Amino acid sequence: MRRELVTRALRDRESIDVPRIAFVSGKGGVGKSTLALASALTFGQSGMRTLLVDMNWRWGAIHILANAYPQASVAEAMLGDAAIADSVCHIAPRVDLLASAAISAGGGWPPTETITRFVDALANMHGRYDVVIIDTPAGIIEQ
């Protein structure tokens, strides 16, 4: 399921002209989130409207690194408990963060149709940005 989520986010047909960069690794703690945040800030400083998406549903921490606290998390938006717009917060000039947080202590991944609906909604945001940076969860597991 993780692979499907990242694949759909990266190849969305409606936003094919928007560069997307995903940070992936089979192991956690290697600096993906730090590198994704630094890259987003660099793109923003260069004048590009940048969306940083923290797709680490259970352990997302970019909002902490960026000292940003949105009204809702990506998980809440994905599950339909909040609008995606409530999960987006401005963290620097020309840089927005679609923040994540833990779904729940025992969480796990939501159903495929929930992820599909979220990725489709995410595609509608691409026109507002020049580049999209995606921070993914650790591990490469088919679920």
Side-chain angles (χ1 to χ4, degrees):
M1 185 178 309
R2 292 180 194 177
R3 184 178 301 155
E4 175 187 331
L5 174 66
V6 173
T7 300
R8 284 202 62 184
L10 288 174
R11 70 167 187 219
D12 184 278
R13 292 180 301 276
E14 294 178 19
S15 60
I16 200 72
D17 59 330
V18 177
R20 281 146 296 183
I21 301 167
F23 290 87
V24 297
S25 173
K27 181 182 180 314
V30 297
K32 286 189 320 296
S33 297
T34 302
L35 191 54
L37 176 59
S39 297
L41 294 172
T42 300
F43 278 113
Q45 288 173 347
S46 73
M48 296 180 78
R49 296 170 301 153
T50 304
L51 176 63
L52 173 57
V53 183
D54 189 348
M55 287 189 161
N56 191 347
W57 311 120
R58 295 199 63 206
W59 306 110
I62 290 181
H63 65 285
I64 296 169
L65 293 172
N67 195 29
Y69 298 91
Q71 295 177 4
S73 71
V74 167
E76 292 168 310
M78 185 176 62
L79 295 171
D81 296 333
I84 287 182
D86 292 334
S87 301
V88 175
C89 58
H90 185 72
I91 60 172
R94 294 170 299 281
V95 181
D96 290 340
L97 169 65
L98 185 51
S100 187
I103 290 176
S104 68
W109 286 84
T112 301
E113 56 273 3
T114 302
I115 293 173
T116 299
R117 187 173 54 248
F118 172 75
V119 171
D120 289 343
L122 180 60
N124 293 330
M125 300 181 70
H126 285 232
R128 300 180 203 163
Y129 300 99
D130 300 314
V131 64
V132 176
I133 307 291
I134 303 168
D135 184 34
T136 64
I140 303 172
I141 300 171
E142 280 298 322
Q143 293 187 9

